[in-house]
PDB file of all heavy atoms in Angstrom:
ATOM      1  N   MET A   1       0.549   0.590 -13.593  1.00 98.00           N
ATOM      2  CA  MET A   1       1.348   1.777 -13.304  1.00 98.00           C
ATOM      3  C   MET A   1       0.396   2.953 -13.077  1.00 98.00           C
ATOM      4  O   MET A   1      -0.692   3.010 -13.662  1.00 98.00           O
ATOM      5  CB  MET A   1       2.276   2.106 -14.474  1.00 98.00           C
ATOM      6  CG  MET A   1       3.223   0.992 -14.900  1.00 98.00           C
ATOM      7  SD  MET A   1       4.586   0.735 -13.766  1.00 98.00           S
ATOM      8  CE  MET A   1       5.594   2.158 -14.124  1.00 98.00           C
ATOM      9  N   ALA A   2       0.834   3.880 -12.236  1.00 97.00           N
ATOM     10  CA  ALA A   2       0.067   5.100 -11.960  1.00 97.00           C
ATOM     11  C   ALA A   2       0.877   6.296 -12.441  1.00 97.00           C
ATOM     12  O   ALA A   2       2.099   6.323 -12.298  1.00 97.00           O
ATOM     13  CB  ALA A   2      -0.220   5.220 -10.460  1.00 97.00           C
ATOM     14  N   GLN A   3       0.183   7.266 -13.002  1.00 97.00           N
ATOM     15  CA  GLN A   3       0.861   8.477 -13.466  1.00 97.00           C
ATOM     16  C   GLN A   3       0.739   9.553 -12.396  1.00 97.00           C
ATOM     17  O   GLN A   3      -0.361   9.847 -11.916  1.00 97.00           O
ATOM     18  CB  GLN A   3       0.247   8.964 -14.774  1.00 97.00           C
ATOM     19  CG  GLN A   3       1.011  10.106 -15.388  1.00 97.00           C
ATOM     20  CD  GLN A   3       0.404  10.575 -16.693  1.00 97.00           C
ATOM     21  OE1 GLN A   3      -0.810  10.575 -16.854  1.00 97.00           O
ATOM     22  NE2 GLN A   3       1.250  10.990 -17.621  1.00 97.00           N
ATOM     23  N   ARG A   4       1.871  10.150 -12.047  1.00 95.00           N
ATOM     24  CA  ARG A   4       1.871  11.218 -11.037  1.00 95.00           C
ATOM     25  C   ARG A   4       1.103  12.425 -11.553  1.00 95.00           C
ATOM     26  O   ARG A   4       1.139  12.738 -12.741  1.00 95.00           O
ATOM     27  CB  ARG A   4       3.300  11.642 -10.704  1.00 95.00           C
ATOM     28  CG  ARG A   4       4.055  10.586  -9.941  1.00 95.00           C
ATOM     29  CD  ARG A   4       5.404  11.090  -9.545  1.00 95.00           C
ATOM     30  NE  ARG A   4       6.092  10.092  -8.747  1.00 95.00           N
ATOM     31  CZ  ARG A   4       7.169  10.331  -8.045  1.00 95.00           C
ATOM     32  NH1 ARG A   4       7.708  11.535  -8.038  1.00 95.00           N
ATOM     33  NH2 ARG A   4       7.732   9.379  -7.345  1.00 95.00           N
ATOM     34  N   ARG A   5       0.434  13.108 -10.628  1.00 91.00           N
ATOM     35  CA  ARG A   5      -0.261  14.346 -10.995  1.00 91.00           C
ATOM     36  C   ARG A   5       0.763  15.337 -11.541  1.00 91.00           C
ATOM     37  O   ARG A   5       1.896  15.389 -11.083  1.00 91.00           O
ATOM     38  CB  ARG A   5      -0.967  14.937  -9.787  1.00 91.00           C
ATOM     39  CG  ARG A   5      -2.130  14.100  -9.303  1.00 91.00           C
ATOM     40  CD  ARG A   5      -2.817  14.799  -8.136  1.00 91.00           C
ATOM     41  NE  ARG A   5      -3.792  13.953  -7.530  1.00 91.00           N
ATOM     42  CZ  ARG A   5      -5.088  13.932  -7.876  1.00 91.00           C
ATOM     43  NH1 ARG A   5      -5.528  14.718  -8.815  1.00 91.00           N
ATOM     44  NH2 ARG A   5      -5.928  13.123  -7.262  1.00 91.00           N
ATOM     45  N   LEU A   6       0.339  16.128 -12.507  1.00 88.00           N
ATOM     46  CA  LEU A   6       1.252  17.062 -13.164  1.00 88.00           C
ATOM     47  C   LEU A   6       1.876  18.056 -12.198  1.00 88.00           C
ATOM     48  O   LEU A   6       3.028  18.440 -12.363  1.00 88.00           O
ATOM     49  CB  LEU A   6       0.521  17.785 -14.296  1.00 88.00           C
ATOM     50  CG  LEU A   6       0.023  16.878 -15.421  1.00 88.00           C
ATOM     51  CD1 LEU A   6      -0.749  17.673 -16.458  1.00 88.00           C
ATOM     52  CD2 LEU A   6       1.160  16.113 -16.059  1.00 88.00           C
ATOM     53  N   GLN A   7       1.143  18.467 -11.153  1.00 88.00           N
ATOM     54  CA  GLN A   7       1.655  19.457 -10.203  1.00 88.00           C
ATOM     55  C   GLN A   7       2.572  18.843  -9.135  1.00 88.00           C
ATOM     56  O   GLN A   7       3.198  19.568  -8.382  1.00 88.00           O
ATOM     57  CB  GLN A   7       0.508  20.230  -9.544  1.00 88.00           C
ATOM     58  CG  GLN A   7      -0.376  19.395  -8.636  1.00 88.00           C
ATOM     59  CD  GLN A   7      -1.569  18.747  -9.326  1.00 88.00           C
ATOM     60  OE1 GLN A   7      -1.568  18.540 -10.532  1.00 88.00           O
ATOM     61  NE2 GLN A   7      -2.596  18.427  -8.561  1.00 88.00           N
ATOM     62  N   ASP A   8       2.674  17.515  -9.071  1.00 85.00           N
ATOM     63  CA  ASP A   8       3.517  16.850  -8.079  1.00 85.00           C
ATOM     64  C   ASP A   8       4.975  16.807  -8.530  1.00 85.00           C
ATOM     65  O   ASP A   8       5.285  17.026  -9.696  1.00 85.00           O
ATOM     66  CB  ASP A   8       3.024  15.419  -7.834  1.00 85.00           C
ATOM     67  CG  ASP A   8       1.678  15.373  -7.137  1.00 85.00           C
ATOM     68  OD1 ASP A   8       1.252  16.413  -6.586  1.00 85.00           O
ATOM     69  OD2 ASP A   8       1.048  14.300  -7.152  1.00 85.00           O
ATOM     70  N   SER A   9       5.846  16.481  -7.587  1.00 83.00           N
ATOM     71  CA  SER A   9       7.255  16.265  -7.911  1.00 83.00           C
ATOM     72  C   SER A   9       7.332  15.184  -8.997  1.00 83.00           C
ATOM     73  O   SER A   9       6.660  14.159  -8.906  1.00 83.00           O
ATOM     74  CB  SER A   9       7.981  15.800  -6.647  1.00 83.00           C
ATOM     75  OG  SER A   9       9.248  15.325  -6.945  1.00 83.00           O
ATOM     76  N   GLU A  10       8.134  15.422 -10.016  1.00 82.00           N
ATOM     77  CA  GLU A  10       8.261  14.506 -11.149  1.00 82.00           C
ATOM     78  C   GLU A  10       6.903  14.232 -11.802  1.00 82.00           C
ATOM     79  O   GLU A  10       6.605  13.126 -12.244  1.00 82.00           O
ATOM     80  CB  GLU A  10       8.962  13.214 -10.731  1.00 82.00           C
ATOM     81  CG  GLU A  10      10.303  13.493 -10.061  1.00 82.00           C
ATOM     82  CD  GLU A  10      11.374  12.488 -10.352  1.00 82.00           C
ATOM     83  OE1 GLU A  10      11.462  12.041 -11.498  1.00 82.00           O
ATOM     84  OE2 GLU A  10      12.118  12.189  -9.420  1.00 82.00           O
ATOM     85  N   GLY A  11       6.078  15.285 -11.845  1.00 85.00           N
ATOM     86  CA  GLY A  11       4.725  15.193 -12.394  1.00 85.00           C
ATOM     87  C   GLY A  11       4.707  14.643 -13.808  1.00 85.00           C
ATOM     88  O   GLY A  11       5.565  14.938 -14.623  1.00 85.00           O
ATOM     89  N   GLY A  12       3.709  13.800 -14.067  1.00 92.00           N
ATOM     90  CA  GLY A  12       3.523  13.204 -15.373  1.00 92.00           C
ATOM     91  C   GLY A  12       4.265  11.889 -15.570  1.00 92.00           C
ATOM     92  O   GLY A  12       3.993  11.163 -16.519  1.00 92.00           O
ATOM     93  N   LYS A  13       5.200  11.574 -14.682  1.00 96.00           N
ATOM     94  CA  LYS A  13       5.938  10.319 -14.815  1.00 96.00           C
ATOM     95  C   LYS A  13       5.087   9.152 -14.319  1.00 96.00           C
ATOM     96  O   LYS A  13       4.211   9.315 -13.478  1.00 96.00           O
ATOM     97  CB  LYS A  13       7.268  10.381 -14.059  1.00 96.00           C
ATOM     98  CG  LYS A  13       8.240  11.359 -14.699  1.00 96.00           C
ATOM     99  CD  LYS A  13       9.592  11.282 -14.066  1.00 96.00           C
ATOM    100  CE  LYS A  13      10.542  12.241 -14.792  1.00 96.00           C
ATOM    101  NZ  LYS A  13      11.873  12.218 -14.180  1.00 96.00           N
ATOM    102  N   TRP A  14       5.369   7.972 -14.859  1.00 97.00           N
ATOM    103  CA  TRP A  14       4.657   6.749 -14.483  1.00 97.00           C
ATOM    104  C   TRP A  14       5.454   6.012 -13.418  1.00 97.00           C
ATOM    105  O   TRP A  14       6.682   5.930 -13.497  1.00 97.00           O
ATOM    106  CB  TRP A  14       4.460   5.873 -15.707  1.00 97.00           C
ATOM    107  CG  TRP A  14       3.460   6.464 -16.653  1.00 97.00           C
ATOM    108  CD1 TRP A  14       3.707   7.365 -17.654  1.00 97.00           C
ATOM    109  CD2 TRP A  14       2.057   6.229 -16.657  1.00 97.00           C
ATOM    110  NE1 TRP A  14       2.537   7.689 -18.286  1.00 97.00           N
ATOM    111  CE2 TRP A  14       1.504   7.018 -17.700  1.00 97.00           C
ATOM    112  CE3 TRP A  14       1.199   5.453 -15.902  1.00 97.00           C
ATOM    113  CZ2 TRP A  14       0.146   7.030 -17.998  1.00 97.00           C
ATOM    114  CZ3 TRP A  14      -0.154   5.452 -16.196  1.00 97.00           C
ATOM    115  CH2 TRP A  14      -0.670   6.230 -17.220  1.00 97.00           C
ATOM    116  N   GLU A  15       4.745   5.476 -12.421  1.00 96.00           N
ATOM    117  CA  GLU A  15       5.408   4.793 -11.310  1.00 96.00           C
ATOM    118  C   GLU A  15       4.594   3.591 -10.864  1.00 96.00           C
ATOM    119  O   GLU A  15       3.412   3.474 -11.172  1.00 96.00           O
ATOM    120  CB  GLU A  15       5.582   5.753 -10.137  1.00 96.00           C
ATOM    121  CG  GLU A  15       4.275   6.213  -9.535  1.00 96.00           C
ATOM    122  CD  GLU A  15       4.435   7.237  -8.428  1.00 96.00           C
ATOM    123  OE1 GLU A  15       5.581   7.521  -8.024  1.00 96.00           O
ATOM    124  OE2 GLU A  15       3.410   7.748  -7.957  1.00 96.00           O
ATOM    125  N   PHE A  16       5.271   2.728 -10.128  1.00 97.00           N
ATOM    126  CA  PHE A  16       4.558   1.642  -9.470  1.00 97.00           C
ATOM    127  C   PHE A  16       3.806   2.281  -8.305  1.00 97.00           C
ATOM    128  O   PHE A  16       4.395   3.037  -7.531  1.00 97.00           O
ATOM    129  CB  PHE A  16       5.534   0.559  -9.012  1.00 97.00           C
ATOM    130  CG  PHE A  16       6.164  -0.160 -10.169  1.00 97.00           C
ATOM    131  CD1 PHE A  16       7.397   0.242 -10.667  1.00 97.00           C
ATOM    132  CD2 PHE A  16       5.509  -1.195 -10.801  1.00 97.00           C
ATOM    133  CE1 PHE A  16       7.974  -0.382 -11.759  1.00 97.00           C
ATOM    134  CE2 PHE A  16       6.071  -1.827 -11.894  1.00 97.00           C
ATOM    135  CZ  PHE A  16       7.299  -1.420 -12.374  1.00 97.00           C
ATOM    136  N   PRO A  17       2.496   2.033  -8.186  1.00 97.00           N
ATOM    137  CA  PRO A  17       1.702   2.750  -7.183  1.00 97.00           C
ATOM    138  C   PRO A  17       2.130   2.441  -5.753  1.00 97.00           C
ATOM    139  O   PRO A  17       2.588   1.349  -5.450  1.00 97.00           O
ATOM    140  CB  PRO A  17       0.275   2.273  -7.455  1.00 97.00           C
ATOM    141  CG  PRO A  17       0.409   1.006  -8.215  1.00 97.00           C
ATOM    142  CD  PRO A  17       1.718   1.064  -8.944  1.00 97.00           C
ATOM    143  N   GLY A  18       1.950   3.422  -4.892  1.00 96.00           N
ATOM    144  CA  GLY A  18       2.304   3.280  -3.489  1.00 96.00           C
ATOM    145  C   GLY A  18       2.483   4.642  -2.866  1.00 96.00           C
ATOM    146  O   GLY A  18       1.924   5.625  -3.340  1.00 96.00           O
ATOM    147  N   GLY A  19       3.277   4.713  -1.819  1.00 94.00           N
ATOM    148  CA  GLY A  19       3.489   5.997  -1.171  1.00 94.00           C
ATOM    149  C   GLY A  19       4.301   5.875   0.096  1.00 94.00           C
ATOM    150  O   GLY A  19       4.821   4.816   0.446  1.00 94.00           O
ATOM    151  N   LYS A  20       4.380   6.998   0.795  1.00 96.00           N
ATOM    152  CA  LYS A  20       5.206   7.102   2.002  1.00 96.00           C
ATOM    153  C   LYS A  20       4.620   6.308   3.162  1.00 96.00           C
ATOM    154  O   LYS A  20       3.412   6.281   3.374  1.00 96.00           O
ATOM    155  CB  LYS A  20       5.325   8.562   2.434  1.00 96.00           C
ATOM    156  CG  LYS A  20       6.066   9.417   1.451  1.00 96.00           C
ATOM    157  CD  LYS A  20       6.070  10.863   1.910  1.00 96.00           C
ATOM    158  CE  LYS A  20       6.635  11.742   0.813  1.00 96.00           C
ATOM    159  NZ  LYS A  20       6.393  13.145   1.046  1.00 96.00           N
ATOM    160  N   VAL A  21       5.531   5.717   3.927  1.00 97.00           N
ATOM    161  CA  VAL A  21       5.157   5.026   5.163  1.00 97.00           C
ATOM    162  C   VAL A  21       5.045   6.092   6.237  1.00 97.00           C
ATOM    163  O   VAL A  21       5.976   6.877   6.451  1.00 97.00           O
ATOM    164  CB  VAL A  21       6.214   3.961   5.542  1.00 97.00           C
ATOM    165  CG1 VAL A  21       5.877   3.323   6.879  1.00 97.00           C
ATOM    166  CG2 VAL A  21       6.334   2.910   4.444  1.00 97.00           C
ATOM    167  N   GLU A  22       3.895   6.144   6.905  1.00 96.00           N
ATOM    168  CA  GLU A  22       3.669   7.107   7.990  1.00 96.00           C
ATOM    169  C   GLU A  22       4.379   6.620   9.253  1.00 96.00           C
ATOM    170  O   GLU A  22       4.641   5.426   9.419  1.00 96.00           O
ATOM    171  CB  GLU A  22       2.169   7.266   8.255  1.00 96.00           C
ATOM    172  CG  GLU A  22       1.371   7.762   7.061  1.00 96.00           C
ATOM    173  CD  GLU A  22       1.717   9.173   6.643  1.00 96.00           C
ATOM    174  OE1 GLU A  22       2.172   9.960   7.495  1.00 96.00           O
ATOM    175  OE2 GLU A  22       1.548   9.491   5.453  1.00 96.00           O
ATOM    176  N   TRP A  23       4.664   7.569  10.156  1.00 94.00           N
ATOM    177  CA  TRP A  23       5.330   7.257  11.416  1.00 94.00           C
ATOM    178  C   TRP A  23       4.569   6.163  12.159  1.00 94.00           C
ATOM    179  O   TRP A  23       3.351   6.249  12.338  1.00 94.00           O
ATOM    180  CB  TRP A  23       5.427   8.511  12.278  1.00 94.00           C
ATOM    181  CG  TRP A  23       6.084   8.239  13.602  1.00 94.00           C
ATOM    182  CD1 TRP A  23       5.466   8.179  14.811  1.00 94.00           C
ATOM    183  CD2 TRP A  23       7.464   7.975  13.836  1.00 94.00           C
ATOM    184  NE1 TRP A  23       6.382   7.885  15.792  1.00 94.00           N
ATOM    185  CE2 TRP A  23       7.625   7.760  15.211  1.00 94.00           C
ATOM    186  CE3 TRP A  23       8.582   7.886  13.012  1.00 94.00           C
ATOM    187  CZ2 TRP A  23       8.860   7.465  15.785  1.00 94.00           C
ATOM    188  CZ3 TRP A  23       9.810   7.595  13.591  1.00 94.00           C
ATOM    189  CH2 TRP A  23       9.929   7.393  14.963  1.00 94.00           C
ATOM    190  N   GLY A  24       5.261   5.093  12.563  1.00 94.00           N
ATOM    191  CA  GLY A  24       4.670   3.999  13.330  1.00 94.00           C
ATOM    192  C   GLY A  24       3.923   2.976  12.492  1.00 94.00           C
ATOM    193  O   GLY A  24       3.398   2.004  13.027  1.00 94.00           O
ATOM    194  N   GLU A  25       3.874   3.161  11.198  1.00 96.00           N
ATOM    195  CA  GLU A  25       3.131   2.273  10.315  1.00 96.00           C
ATOM    196  C   GLU A  25       4.059   1.164   9.794  1.00 96.00           C
ATOM    197  O   GLU A  25       5.211   1.415   9.461  1.00 96.00           O
ATOM    198  CB  GLU A  25       2.596   3.110   9.148  1.00 96.00           C
ATOM    199  CG  GLU A  25       1.494   2.497   8.349  1.00 96.00           C
ATOM    200  CD  GLU A  25       0.916   3.479   7.334  1.00 96.00           C
ATOM    201  OE1 GLU A  25       1.662   4.305   6.768  1.00 96.00           O
ATOM    202  OE2 GLU A  25      -0.297   3.410   7.100  1.00 96.00           O
ATOM    203  N   GLU A  26       3.554  -0.028   9.698  1.00 97.00           N
ATOM    204  CA  GLU A  26       4.295  -1.150   9.124  1.00 97.00           C
ATOM    205  C   GLU A  26       4.230  -0.996   7.602  1.00 97.00           C
ATOM    206  O   GLU A  26       3.203  -0.600   7.067  1.00 97.00           O
ATOM    207  CB  GLU A  26       3.648  -2.457   9.597  1.00 97.00           C
ATOM    208  CG  GLU A  26       4.480  -3.705   9.369  1.00 97.00           C
ATOM    209  CD  GLU A  26       4.310  -4.289   7.982  1.00 97.00           C
ATOM    210  OE1 GLU A  26       3.216  -4.184   7.407  1.00 97.00           O
ATOM    211  OE2 GLU A  26       5.291  -4.839   7.464  1.00 97.00           O
ATOM    212  N   PRO A  27       5.329  -1.258   6.863  1.00 98.00           N
ATOM    213  CA  PRO A  27       5.332  -1.029   5.414  1.00 98.00           C
ATOM    214  C   PRO A  27       4.200  -1.706   4.636  1.00 98.00           C
ATOM    215  O   PRO A  27       3.599  -1.080   3.763  1.00 98.00           O
ATOM    216  CB  PRO A  27       6.703  -1.547   4.971  1.00 98.00           C
ATOM    217  CG  PRO A  27       7.572  -1.305   6.167  1.00 98.00           C
ATOM    218  CD  PRO A  27       6.673  -1.607   7.345  1.00 98.00           C
ATOM    219  N   ARG A  28       3.885  -2.950   4.935  1.00 98.00           N
ATOM    220  CA  ARG A  28       2.787  -3.620   4.209  1.00 98.00           C
ATOM    221  C   ARG A  28       1.448  -2.944   4.497  1.00 98.00           C
ATOM    222  O   ARG A  28       0.617  -2.782   3.615  1.00 98.00           O
ATOM    223  CB  ARG A  28       2.743  -5.104   4.548  1.00 98.00           C
ATOM    224  CG  ARG A  28       3.803  -5.916   3.845  1.00 98.00           C
ATOM    225  CD  ARG A  28       3.702  -7.403   4.206  1.00 98.00           C
ATOM    226  NE  ARG A  28       4.611  -8.189   3.417  1.00 98.00           N
ATOM    227  CZ  ARG A  28       5.904  -8.363   3.690  1.00 98.00           C
ATOM    228  NH1 ARG A  28       6.430  -7.785   4.762  1.00 98.00           N
ATOM    229  NH2 ARG A  28       6.672  -9.097   2.909  1.00 98.00           N
ATOM    230  N   GLN A  29       1.248  -2.557   5.737  1.00 98.00           N
ATOM    231  CA  GLN A  29       0.026  -1.843   6.119  1.00 98.00           C
ATOM    232  C   GLN A  29      -0.048  -0.510   5.365  1.00 98.00           C
ATOM    233  O   GLN A  29      -1.101  -0.122   4.878  1.00 98.00           O
ATOM    234  CB  GLN A  29       0.050  -1.617   7.638  1.00 98.00           C
ATOM    235  CG  GLN A  29      -1.103  -0.833   8.181  1.00 98.00           C
ATOM    236  CD  GLN A  29      -0.905  -0.532   9.666  1.00 98.00           C
ATOM    237  OE1 GLN A  29       0.215  -0.252  10.124  1.00 98.00           O
ATOM    238  NE2 GLN A  29      -1.978  -0.581  10.419  1.00 98.00           N
ATOM    239  N   SER A  30       1.075   0.165   5.247  1.00 97.00           N
ATOM    240  CA  SER A  30       1.146   1.429   4.525  1.00 97.00           C
ATOM    241  C   SER A  30       0.764   1.245   3.060  1.00 97.00           C
ATOM    242  O   SER A  30      -0.009   2.021   2.501  1.00 97.00           O
ATOM    243  CB  SER A  30       2.562   2.006   4.616  1.00 97.00           C
ATOM    244  OG  SER A  30       2.710   3.090   3.745  1.00 97.00           O
ATOM    245  N   LEU A  31       1.308   0.208   2.419  1.00 98.00           N
ATOM    246  CA  LEU A  31       1.019  -0.027   1.014  1.00 98.00           C
ATOM    247  C   LEU A  31      -0.453  -0.371   0.808  1.00 98.00           C
ATOM    248  O   LEU A  31      -1.085   0.110  -0.142  1.00 98.00           O
ATOM    249  CB  LEU A  31       1.926  -1.129   0.460  1.00 98.00           C
ATOM    250  CG  LEU A  31       1.830  -1.391  -1.033  1.00 98.00           C
ATOM    251  CD1 LEU A  31       2.011  -0.113  -1.854  1.00 98.00           C
ATOM    252  CD2 LEU A  31       2.851  -2.447  -1.446  1.00 98.00           C
ATOM    253  N   TYR A  32      -1.011  -1.168   1.697  1.00 98.00           N
ATOM    254  CA  TYR A  32      -2.440  -1.498   1.627  1.00 98.00           C
ATOM    255  C   TYR A  32      -3.267  -0.202   1.654  1.00 98.00           C
ATOM    256  O   TYR A  32      -4.165   0.009   0.829  1.00 98.00           O
ATOM    257  CB  TYR A  32      -2.813  -2.422   2.794  1.00 98.00           C
ATOM    258  CG  TYR A  32      -4.252  -2.867   2.772  1.00 98.00           C
ATOM    259  CD1 TYR A  32      -4.638  -3.981   2.047  1.00 98.00           C
ATOM    260  CD2 TYR A  32      -5.221  -2.168   3.493  1.00 98.00           C
ATOM    261  CE1 TYR A  32      -5.970  -4.397   2.024  1.00 98.00           C
ATOM    262  CE2 TYR A  32      -6.542  -2.574   3.471  1.00 98.00           C
ATOM    263  CZ  TYR A  32      -6.910  -3.681   2.743  1.00 98.00           C
ATOM    264  OH  TYR A  32      -8.232  -4.083   2.717  1.00 98.00           O
ATOM    265  N   ARG A  33      -2.948   0.683   2.592  1.00 97.00           N
ATOM    266  CA  ARG A  33      -3.650   1.968   2.720  1.00 97.00           C
ATOM    267  C   ARG A  33      -3.462   2.826   1.480  1.00 97.00           C
ATOM    268  O   ARG A  33      -4.415   3.389   0.941  1.00 97.00           O
ATOM    269  CB  ARG A  33      -3.142   2.712   3.969  1.00 97.00           C
ATOM    270  CG  ARG A  33      -3.713   4.116   4.127  1.00 97.00           C
ATOM    271  CD  ARG A  33      -3.068   4.882   5.286  1.00 97.00           C
ATOM    272  NE  ARG A  33      -1.619   4.948   5.255  1.00 97.00           N
ATOM    273  CZ  ARG A  33      -0.906   5.722   4.430  1.00 97.00           C
ATOM    274  NH1 ARG A  33      -1.511   6.496   3.540  1.00 97.00           N
ATOM    275  NH2 ARG A  33       0.419   5.728   4.482  1.00 97.00           N
ATOM    276  N   GLU A  34      -2.221   2.931   1.007  1.00 97.00           N
ATOM    277  CA  GLU A  34      -1.924   3.765  -0.158  1.00 97.00           C
ATOM    278  C   GLU A  34      -2.672   3.292  -1.407  1.00 97.00           C
ATOM    279  O   GLU A  34      -3.148   4.105  -2.196  1.00 97.00           O
ATOM    280  CB  GLU A  34      -0.420   3.798  -0.427  1.00 97.00           C
ATOM    281  CG  GLU A  34       0.369   4.623   0.560  1.00 97.00           C
ATOM    282  CD  GLU A  34       0.236   6.123   0.339  1.00 97.00           C
ATOM    283  OE1 GLU A  34      -0.331   6.552  -0.673  1.00 97.00           O
ATOM    284  OE2 GLU A  34       0.724   6.882   1.204  1.00 97.00           O
ATOM    285  N   LEU A  35      -2.782   1.985  -1.597  1.00 98.00           N
ATOM    286  CA  LEU A  35      -3.494   1.465  -2.766  1.00 98.00           C
ATOM    287  C   LEU A  35      -4.986   1.790  -2.701  1.00 98.00           C
ATOM    288  O   LEU A  35      -5.611   2.067  -3.723  1.00 98.00           O
ATOM    289  CB  LEU A  35      -3.262  -0.033  -2.922  1.00 98.00           C
ATOM    290  CG  LEU A  35      -1.825  -0.421  -3.283  1.00 98.00           C
ATOM    291  CD1 LEU A  35      -1.650  -1.931  -3.258  1.00 98.00           C
ATOM    292  CD2 LEU A  35      -1.420   0.150  -4.631  1.00 98.00           C
ATOM    293  N   GLN A  36      -5.545   1.787  -1.499  1.00 97.00           N
ATOM    294  CA  GLN A  36      -6.947   2.195  -1.340  1.00 97.00           C
ATOM    295  C   GLN A  36      -7.110   3.677  -1.664  1.00 97.00           C
ATOM    296  O   GLN A  36      -8.026   4.065  -2.381  1.00 97.00           O
ATOM    297  CB  GLN A  36      -7.437   1.915   0.084  1.00 97.00           C
ATOM    298  CG  GLN A  36      -7.713   0.462   0.340  1.00 97.00           C
ATOM    299  CD  GLN A  36      -8.311   0.254   1.719  1.00 97.00           C
ATOM    300  OE1 GLN A  36      -7.724   0.617   2.730  1.00 97.00           O
ATOM    301  NE2 GLN A  36      -9.494  -0.323   1.752  1.00 97.00           N
ATOM    302  N   GLU A  37      -6.208   4.513  -1.122  1.00 96.00           N
ATOM    303  CA  GLU A  37      -6.302   5.960  -1.310  1.00 96.00           C
ATOM    304  C   GLU A  37      -6.017   6.380  -2.754  1.00 96.00           C
ATOM    305  O   GLU A  37      -6.690   7.251  -3.295  1.00 96.00           O
ATOM    306  CB  GLU A  37      -5.321   6.680  -0.380  1.00 96.00           C
ATOM    307  CG  GLU A  37      -5.668   6.572   1.081  1.00 96.00           C
ATOM    308  CD  GLU A  37      -4.601   7.155   2.002  1.00 96.00           C
ATOM    309  OE1 GLU A  37      -3.577   7.673   1.518  1.00 96.00           O
ATOM    310  OE2 GLU A  37      -4.802   7.072   3.231  1.00 96.00           O
ATOM    311  N   GLU A  38      -5.012   5.773  -3.368  1.00 95.00           N
ATOM    312  CA  GLU A  38      -4.557   6.199  -4.687  1.00 95.00           C
ATOM    313  C   GLU A  38      -5.360   5.583  -5.833  1.00 95.00           C
ATOM    314  O   GLU A  38      -5.632   6.244  -6.832  1.00 95.00           O
ATOM    315  CB  GLU A  38      -3.079   5.823  -4.836  1.00 95.00           C
ATOM    316  CG  GLU A  38      -2.398   6.404  -6.046  1.00 95.00           C
ATOM    317  CD  GLU A  38      -0.898   6.143  -6.049  1.00 95.00           C
ATOM    318  OE1 GLU A  38      -0.284   6.058  -4.971  1.00 95.00           O
ATOM    319  OE2 GLU A  38      -0.357   6.024  -7.155  1.00 95.00           O
TER     320      GLU A  38
END
């Protein structure tokens, strides 16, 4: 689990890591990218 930054929306809460799918991006490709970035 990843904890959201305190200044982010719902800051401090724990979540399954990931993020938003960018325009034109395939969801699996997006998750692969997000896991590298996060």
Side-chain angles (χ1 to χ4, degrees):
M1 303 286 286
Q3 187 179 36
R4 290 185 177 194
R5 292 183 188 268
L6 297 177
Q7 67 270 23
D8 292 345
S9 168
E10 306 215 40
K13 292 187 177 179
W14 290 87
E15 65 184 354
F16 292 94
K20 295 177 189 167
V21 176
E22 300 294 334
W23 179 253
E25 197 173 35
E26 194 275 328
R28 283 181 173 83
Q29 177 186 38
S30 170
L31 186 53
Y32 183 86
R33 175 187 53 75
E34 287 284 351
L35 293 173
Q36 285 185 302
E37 292 173 1
E38 190 173 329

